[in-house]
Amino acid sequence: FYSHALTFNMTTFEHRVYSRTLLCLTVVTMVHCNDIQTESIAGKACTESESHQCIDTTNDASSSIYETMDFSLDPSNYDYPLPCPGLAAGFECDFSSPWSSRDGEFDFCDADVIHINDLTYERFVDEYLFKKPLLIDANLSDWTDPAFWTKKSWLTSYGTYPFEAGRSLELVLNSGIGPVNITLEEYFKDYMQLHLDEDTMGPFDAQFKEPLYVFDRSIWREEENFQLNHFHGPNYLFNHLDTQYGILFIGPSGTGATWHAHGETWAGVAFGRKRWFLYPPEVQPPGGFWPGYSAKDWFTNIYPHLQNDLSWVSNTRDWNNQFVYDREGKWYGTNDPNRFGNFGFLRSSVIDRRRNETLFEPLNSDSSIADIVSSDAPFSHNGLHKPFECIQKEGQLIYLPEFWWHAVMNIGEVAAGGIQTSDSYTPWMQEIDYLGQIERLLADKKQKKKHRPTLTDLEKQATHYDMLLVHDRLGRHAPFNAVHQFFIGFEYIDLGEYPLAEQYLEESLFMDPTLIEAYLGLSRIYRDSNNPWHFYLAERVLRIAYILNHNHPTVREQLIEIFEEQNRDDLVQLVYKHEPLPAMPEKTRQEMENESETSSSSSSDNTLNASEEDALNVIDVRTVQQKEQSLEGGVSDGMNIDKENFDKYQNPEPYEVFE
């Protein structure tokens, strides 16, 4: 998989390469000076000079205790199939969890793997910089001091320091900042011993929760030159303090970070292993940003149902031009309507599966994840793609270009660190940065914090349209990327244009039926109505989202609200216990309207007034006629509407979905 089809300014590129050479010399000089000219001062957690800001541990009684303790583990107590270098440093390995191997292999990587001694600066720039991921095979001593990463070292130096921590989903939703502060003494005692089993966590926690994961940036701010003192990567990997920031990772098996993307990054594993899941910028991971799954939930619920191996992709242009193929092996582009419908959709309805030319099978609470994720083949392309994957072992370094989507699961007890850059070099990343600037403008709290006036309603509306334009540009480059369809729909919700919002949200689900936030967006539209048919649709889409992830807090909260309104305490208790729901009755809009007419309260509570009907002209996802119509008569589905003719949103007509 080669560089994605983006270009960038050569002047910027040349400056970047030149800067790297100079910065590398600077780093070496600084480290050399520290080694020669500074002294180690007792009671400090770092080397101190006039410019350093050290963490004072003089009065830390625990440090003297840990200095005399032996944290090494006896290898004879573990029956590991492979060596576990972390035992000597106090870190256990894991070769038994489902995420520890792929098809029986414990060591695999779909990216290039090159030994550090065989990788030159020129080769890295020519083949990998901004282009594709790389796993660098190395020893721990090639880029850091191994003694620094032991449990004994951490507890002695930082035992009482409050590190940032969180769980895989909340870390991503909180912009990579751990919402919890915990000392390493507490963490090693209460969390590093957890193995996600019932004996240590209890049956409920073992099934639905994951332990905290130290995901800390604060140590970079609190200890001067922490990065330069402990990260000595090869000269082709950036390592300076101007526009970079680092993250410290410590956690037991099963922790990690769910799907996200950012600027360039490189990371090294000291002890333990990491399993990386990767997609290029043009291809949104199934169920990805905004993520609706923790890393463990995604691996358990979605990953087993991904169909296609991506090893055949030789160039990222193929993502858009040759992304799908039929059962005879013939290639089709994602926008080729021949047998695949519009835009290479995986599905043609949100709440139905198409079984043949005349049969539509409803998706309900008794449906499986496989039913939801599977395509309508042979009437569409044949499934969502698996990611590139890579196991990163002790000592190895990994490089990720800008905005490569990734999720990470730790295998065994892990100690690692990474460096990220906030610089943007490719047009793709610059568009993402521009989106971030717009989002900050819309955030009243951030504007007030910077003593800037908040935007007026008219200015906010114009700014929302700016965001729509950015996502439209990104969507044109990656037409099969559901995330842009989702965000356009999300913006239209904020603008109050519900028909357009519904169209884009449903299109995102036609591309990726695992996108939980799109179901929540549709529910938000449908629930902003007093019409019982819209309430019925809201419950239907929420039930599908619940099948995909019983643990999603917002999905569970909204279902509980609906069931409480219905006085269905039995269903409320099932959601509280994360248990499956029974199927809900299959109804049509006509049946719902008939029930409403016979209800004594329907005239006052369940009927839209004229203004509401105009504002919320939500198009039916499925009607009884859809099940009865054949392809010759056309499928009436609210998603398939000509975007350039707004009249069709107000007065939708049957639309020919497939040829």
Side-chain angles (χ1 to χ4, degrees):
F1 42 105
Y2 300 156
S3 171
H4 46 76
L6 293 171
T7 59
F8 49 88
N9 185 281
M10 279 304 299
T11 303
T12 303
F13 172 74
E14 292 168 354
H15 174 72
R16 165 68 182 277
V17 175
Y18 181 66
S19 297
R20 280 195 171 184
T21 306
L22 296 179
L23 289 168
C24 171
L25 296 174
T26 304
V27 169
V28 172
T29 302
M30 292 179 70
V31 172
H32 179 71
C33 291
N34 282 340
D35 291 341
I36 300 295
Q37 299 179 8
T38 59
E39 298 180 359
S40 175
I41 301 177
K44 301 293 181 181
C46 65
T47 305
E48 184 178 25
S49 68
E50 292 182 359
S51 61
H52 282 112
Q53 298 175 0
C54 291
I55 301 172
D56 191 347
T57 60
T58 306
N59 298 321
D60 184 1
S62 64
S63 63
S64 60
I65 297 175
Y66 293 122
E67 286 174 353
T68 61
M69 295 178 64
D70 182 10
F71 287 87
S72 61
L73 302 173
D74 186 356
S76 64
N77 294 333
Y78 305 93
D79 186 21
Y80 293 146
L82 296 172
C84 180
L87 291 177
F91 294 92
E92 295 184 39
C93 289
D94 173 16
F95 296 99
S96 61
S97 65
W99 51 85
S100 66
S101 62
R102 183 180 69 178
D103 299 328
E105 294 185 23
F106 295 95
D107 185 7
F108 55 85
C109 190
D110 300 325
D112 291 346
V113 182
I114 302 178
H115 194 275
I116 192 170
N117 294 335
D118 299 326
L119 184 60
T120 63
Y121 184 93
E122 292 74 19
R123 182 181 180 185
F124 176 82
V125 170
D126 290 342
E127 298 182 25
Y128 301 100
L129 180 64
F130 304 127
K131 297 180 179 70
K132 58 181 179 178
L134 170 67
L135 185 67
I136 303 171
D137 195 16
N139 295 316
L140 188 55
S141 58
D142 288 328
W143 57 273
T144 190
D145 178 9
F148 171 74
W149 294 91
T150 66
K151 278 189 178 180
K152 180 176 182 177
S153 171
W154 280 103
L155 285 170
T156 301
S157 300
Y158 304 101
T160 59
Y161 179 79
F163 286 92
E164 299 167 347
R167 295 178 174 86
S168 62
L169 179 57
E170 63 189 5
L171 287 170
V172 172
L173 296 178
N174 200 39
S175 302
I177 299 174
V180 176
N181 281 46
I182 186 170
T183 68
L184 279 188
E185 284 185 334
E186 297 173 298
Y187 188 78
F188 282 133
K189 177 183 177 182
D190 297 331
Y191 287 93
M192 286 293 278
Q193 307 304 319
L194 300 181
H195 297 274
L196 299 178
D197 57 32
E198 295 187 7
D199 292 338
T200 54
M201 298 187 74
F204 180 83
D205 286 352
Q207 186 175 3
F208 299 115
K209 290 187 177 180
E210 61 185 72
L212 286 174
Y213 178 34
V214 170
F215 198 92
D216 181 82
R217 303 181 186 187
S218 66
I219 192 67
W220 264 258
R221 299 188 300 269
E222 297 298 325
E223 182 176 326
E224 187 76 17
N225 283 340
F226 179 87
Q227 178 175 320
L228 299 180
N229 289 336
H230 303 299
F231 291 82
H232 313 144
N235 61 357
Y236 40 79
L237 297 178
F238 53 84
N239 190 32
H240 62 94
L241 305 179
D242 294 338
T243 55
Q244 274 79 54
Y245 58 90
I247 303 178
L248 175 69
F249 313 111
I250 299 176
S253 194
T255 56
T258 193
W259 288 103
H260 61 290
H262 44 65
E264 271 187 302
T265 187
W266 65 273
V269 170
F271 297 106
R273 296 183 299 152
K274 285 179 172 287
R275 183 168 178 174
W276 293 79
F277 306 90
L278 308 169
Y279 285 98
E282 296 89 339
V283 183
Q284 177 224 313
F289 197 83
W290 289 338
Y293 310 84
S294 68
K296 181 187 175 187
D297 287 334
W298 185 88
F299 180 81
T300 303
N301 298 354
I302 306 303
Y303 177 82
H305 302 289
L306 303 180
Q307 300 297 319
N308 303 323
D309 183 2
L310 294 180
S311 60
W312 54 267
V313 179
S314 60
N315 188 298
T316 50
R317 289 182 179 271
D318 294 342
W319 292 105
N320 296 328
N321 299 328
Q322 293 180 326
F323 196 68
V324 296
Y325 54 93
D326 65 10
R327 291 180 177 179
E328 286 98 30
K330 185 177 180 179
W331 295 95
Y332 293 92
T334 54
N335 288 323
D336 188 339
N338 187 8
R339 296 185 63 190
F340 294 103
N342 294 333
F343 308 112
F345 290 157
L346 184 74
R347 296 253 300 282
S348 59
S349 172
V350 172
I351 59 176
D352 286 304
R353 282 287 314 284
R354 185 177 188 178
R355 292 304 188 184
N356 56 45
E357 292 189 356
T358 59
L359 176 62
F360 288 83
E361 181 179 283
L363 294 170
N364 209 319
S365 292
D366 56 355
S367 301
S368 67
I369 294 178
D371 290 330
I372 299 172
V373 176
S374 298
S375 71
D376 286 345
F379 303 98
S380 67
H381 68 81
N382 64 339
L384 297 173
H385 287 67
K386 291 181 179 178
F388 298 105
E389 298 182 58
C390 197
I391 294 287
Q392 182 185 13
K393 300 182 297 184
E394 293 89 348
Q396 292 181 329
L397 302 166
I398 193 168
Y399 166 78
L400 297 184
E402 287 185 341
F403 216 75
W404 269 71
W405 298 94
H406 55 282
V408 185
M409 293 191 74
N410 291 323
I411 305 173
E413 296 179 339
V414 169
I419 312 294
Q420 297 178 11
T421 177
S422 57
D423 289 331
S424 299
Y425 297 97
T426 62
W428 182 283
M429 195 65 198
Q430 289 167 1
E431 291 277 22
I432 300 299
D433 285 348
Y434 182 50
L435 277 178
Q437 295 174 19
I438 297 174
E439 290 171 353
R440 286 189 289 273
L441 282 175
L442 289 170
D444 289 343
K445 289 184 179 179
K446 291 185 178 180
Q447 292 294 96
K448 291 178 180 179
K449 186 176 181 180
K450 294 184 177 181
H451 305 289
R452 297 173 181 171
T454 57
L455 301 181
T456 65
D457 290 343
L458 185 60
E459 289 172 332
K460 285 185 177 180
Q461 187 178 37
T463 306
H464 278 293
Y465 279 109
D466 283 343
M467 295 186 73
L468 289 173
L469 291 173
V470 176
H471 281 294
D472 182 67
R473 290 196 295 270
L474 292 170
R476 291 176 186 275
H477 176 71
F480 202 71
N481 195 326
V483 71
H484 305 305
Q485 303 295 104
F486 162 74
F487 273 117
I488 291 174
F490 187 81
E491 290 303 316
Y492 276 128
I493 290 179
D494 284 346
L495 291 169
E497 300 190 30
Y498 283 175
L500 285 166
E502 186 196 30
Q503 177 193 353
Y504 279 97
L505 291 174
E506 288 194 336
E507 281 190 357
S508 71
L509 289 170
F510 290 174
M511 297 178 184
D512 178 8
T514 68
L515 197 58
I516 284 182
E517 292 295 333
Y519 292 105
L520 288 170
L522 288 175
S523 172
R524 178 178 167 185
I525 293 172
Y526 297 142
R527 295 184 73 189
D528 193 9
S529 164
N530 291 324
N531 189 299
W533 172 246
H534 297 147
F535 266 61
Y536 175 82
L537 292 178
E539 183 178 345
R540 281 293 295 273
V541 296
L542 286 173
R543 281 172 175 255
I544 295 174
Y546 183 74
I547 295 170
L548 291 166
N549 188 4
H550 289 183
N551 302 328
H552 194 285
T554 308
V555 172
R556 297 175 66 245
E557 178 184 345
Q558 292 192 14
L559 278 174
I560 288 172
E561 289 179 2
I562 289 176
F563 295 150
E564 287 178 343
E565 292 171 0
Q566 300 171 352
N567 295 319
R568 292 296 306 273
D569 186 62
D570 56 332
L571 299 182
V572 171
Q573 293 305 314
L574 290 176
V575 176
Y576 274 131
K577 297 176 181 178
H578 299 253
E579 294 181 1
L581 296 170
M584 65 185 298
E586 287 291 321
K587 295 185 179 181
T588 66
R589 180 168 190 164
Q590 186 63 48
E591 291 170 344
M592 295 293 295
E593 289 177 350
N594 291 341
E595 291 178 5
S596 177
E597 289 174 0
T598 59
S599 173
S600 60
S601 61
S602 62
S603 60
S604 59
D605 297 333
N606 298 328
T607 304
L608 288 173
N609 59 42
S611 62
E612 287 175 322
E613 191 68 47
D614 290 338
L616 190 70
N617 185 18
V618 182
I619 306 154
D620 301 340
V621 177
R622 179 182 52 82
T623 66
V624 67
Q625 288 82 8
Q626 179 182 347
K627 286 193 172 184
E628 297 172 351
Q629 285 174 328
S630 65
L631 283 175
E632 295 179 359
V635 180
S636 177
D637 189 296
M639 247 338 285
N640 300 284
I641 303 168
D642 184 359
K643 300 176 186 177
E644 297 180 358
N645 190 346
F646 184 76
D647 290 339
K648 289 189 177 182
Y649 294 109
Q650 304 292 4
N651 301 291
E653 299 176 356
Y655 188 82
E656 188 76 12
V657 181
F658 296 104
E659 292 185 357

